[in-house]
């Protein structure tokens, strides 16, 4: 190996290899089949109040289908830049659908430039309806791309709503609590490609800078490369090593608000020093654009006083995105 390819990682980017009961694995089969929903809800409560993250297994999504979406995602990112840029996200206005080039979105812009490229889409719409709702843009040169990736989006919507049932039960709420907030939810299906880095890697340029997710829930499929890092309550970065057949689940700002900080929307980032291309497929589900999110009365106590004012889901999320995209500066 030449000296140029040796990776020298800044100490601030090193993650500890800890036992993975730190990021627990939850078997959600008893939630999905109804055999023991309360047991799963108890495990979800521990995970989200302590780590904000969990792996889920026995989730019902066939691995070969997930693999096929990874394959077509790689095909998309292998297209010439000129083709990808014809689908640029700026062409979708505030709907935020399409391709994002390296450094085109920066999640921690005061500290880090994101070395990643993305493709975003969501619920099909024929016309622009407002932030997060409008026509998707699709690559014409990949005939299977639309069917596979949009089919994946639909499966993720179904899975995420079932996971929200479990989260509701974990908070001693009605299992259907989130249904009134997610009649027409904001959802974003994202495909991600992280080029490898070499040389001296510092915080200035990494795969994705430290951030919390903006909405309710994220369902992440990882390839086998690794690079996800999650911050624990001591401020240490813990590796989210890929576990075959699982999804990584984490909550976003809105669930933290809803629970008045009982549940943690945890900081995380991606550092790809594997020497390999890294691909991941995150799905984000939020609430309806005008849904009001405020702390649950049961989560407000003398020892945990009210920490948040009510916000609407769409305004909160769009405000976070506006800070990341140049074309939204005057939106």
């Amino acid at each position: 190996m030449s000296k140029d390819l040796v990776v020298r990682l800044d100490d601030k980017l090193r993650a500890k290899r800890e036992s993975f009961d730190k990021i627990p694995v939850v078997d959600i089969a008893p939630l999905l089949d109804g055999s023991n929903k309360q047991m799963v809800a108890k495990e979800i409560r521990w995970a989200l109040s302590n780590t904000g993250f969990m792996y889920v297994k026995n989730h019902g999504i066939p691995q070969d289908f997930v693999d096929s979406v990874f394959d077509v995602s790689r095909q998309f990112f292998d297209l010439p830049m000129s083709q990808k840029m014809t689908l640029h996200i700026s062409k979708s206005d505030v709907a935020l659908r399409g391709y994002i080039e390296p450094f085109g979105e920066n999640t921690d812009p005061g500290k880090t430039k994101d070395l990643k490229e993305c493709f975003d889409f969501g619920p099909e719409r024929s016309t622009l309806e407002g932030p997060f709702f409008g026509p998707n843009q699709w690559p014409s040169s990949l005939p299977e791309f639309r069917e596979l990736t949009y089919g994946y989006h639909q499966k993720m919507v179904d899975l995420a709503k079932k996971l929200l049932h479990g989260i509701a039960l974990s908070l001693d709420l009605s299992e259907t609590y989130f249904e009134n907030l997610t009649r027409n939810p904001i959802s974003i299906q994202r495909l991600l490609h992280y080029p490898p880095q070499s040389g001296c890697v510092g915080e200035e340029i990494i795969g994705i800078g430290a951030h919390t997710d903006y909405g309710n829930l994220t369902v992440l499929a990882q390839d086998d490369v690794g690079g996800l890092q999650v911050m624990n309550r001591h401020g240490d970065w813990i590796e989210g090593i890929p576990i075959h057949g699982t999804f990584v689940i984490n909550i976003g700002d809105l669930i933290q608000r809803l629970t008045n900080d009982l549940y943690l929307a945890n900081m995380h980032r991606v550092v790809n020093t594997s020497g390999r291309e890294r691909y991941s497929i995150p799905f984000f589900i939020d609430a309806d654009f005008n849904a009001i999110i405020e702390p649950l009365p049961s989560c407000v106590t003398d020892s945990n006083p009210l920490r948040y004012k009510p916000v609407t889901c769409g305004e909160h999320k769009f405000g976070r995105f506006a800070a990341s995209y140049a074309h939204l500066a005057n939106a």
Side-chain angles (χ1 to χ4, degrees), residues 205-253:
I205 297 178
I206 57 174
I208 186 169
H211 67 288
T212 59
D213 287 348
Y214 308 153
N216 274 350
L217 190 70
T218 303
V219 183
L220 171 70
Q222 301 190 81
D223 64 10
D224 63 354
V225 171
L228 174 66
Q229 298 181 358
V230 179
M231 182 178 283
N232 68 15
R233 287 190 181 271
H234 302 294
D236 295 323
W237 290 102
I238 308 302
E239 287 192 73
I241 291 177
I243 300 176
H244 184 73
T246 68
F247 292 119
V248 179
I249 309 298
N250 65 281
I251 55 169
D253 298 339

Side-chain angles (χ1 to χ4, degrees), residues 89-273:
I89 194 167
S90 62
K91 297 182 179 182
S92 72
D93 201 340
V94 295
L96 296 171
R97 311 283 180 88
Y99 174 70
I100 305 147
E101 73 280 16
F103 309 127
E105 176 198 59
N106 295 296
T107 52
D108 189 10
K111 182 182 293 185
T112 302
K113 293 179 69 176
D114 290 358
L115 182 58
K116 68 182 193 301
E117 54 179 341
C118 321
F119 184 79
D120 287 0
F121 57 96
E124 291 278 19
R125 295 291 189 271
S126 59
T127 60
L128 179 65
E129 298 177 1
F132 306 111
F133 291 97
N136 290 312
Q137 302 189 77
W138 300 108
S140 58
S141 59
L142 298 175
E144 294 184 327
F145 183 89
R146 178 175 182 170
E147 180 180 358
L148 280 171
T149 59
Y150 196 74
Y152 185 87
H153 170 271
Q154 297 302 88
K155 287 182 182 296
M156 289 296 105
V157 171
D158 292 342
L159 176 60
K161 289 185 174 182
K162 291 171 184 175
L163 289 166
L164 287 171
H165 284 182
I167 291 174
L169 291 172
S170 77
L171 293 165
D172 298 321
L173 300 170
S174 163
E175 182 177 354
T176 59
Y177 175 84
F178 286 99
E179 291 183 6
N180 288 332
L181 299 173
T182 55
R183 291 192 175 97
N184 184 27
I186 298 168
S187 64
I188 298 174
Q189 183 64 68
R190 168 165 281 195
L191 310 176
L192 275 165
H193 168 229
Y194 298 94
Q197 290 183 256
S198 59
C200 185
V201 179
E203 286 185 285
E204 297 79 14
I205 297 178
I206 57 174
I208 186 169
H211 67 288
T212 59
D213 287 348
Y214 308 153
N216 274 350
L217 190 70
T218 303
V219 183
L220 171 70
Q222 301 190 81
D223 64 10
D224 63 354
V225 171
L228 174 66
Q229 298 181 358
V230 179
M231 182 178 283
N232 68 15
R233 287 190 181 271
H234 302 294
D236 295 323
W237 290 102
I238 308 302
E239 287 192 73
I241 291 177
I243 300 176
H244 184 73
T246 68
F247 292 119
V248 179
I249 309 298
N250 65 281
I251 55 169
D253 298 339
L254 294 181
I255 295 291
Q256 180 163 331
R257 281 177 170 268
L258 184 75
T259 62
N260 203 40
D261 289 356
L262 175 64
Y263 286 1
L264 176 68
N266 213 338
M267 296 287 285
H268 53 287
R269 64 188 182 187
V270 171
V271 183
N272 182 18
T273 55

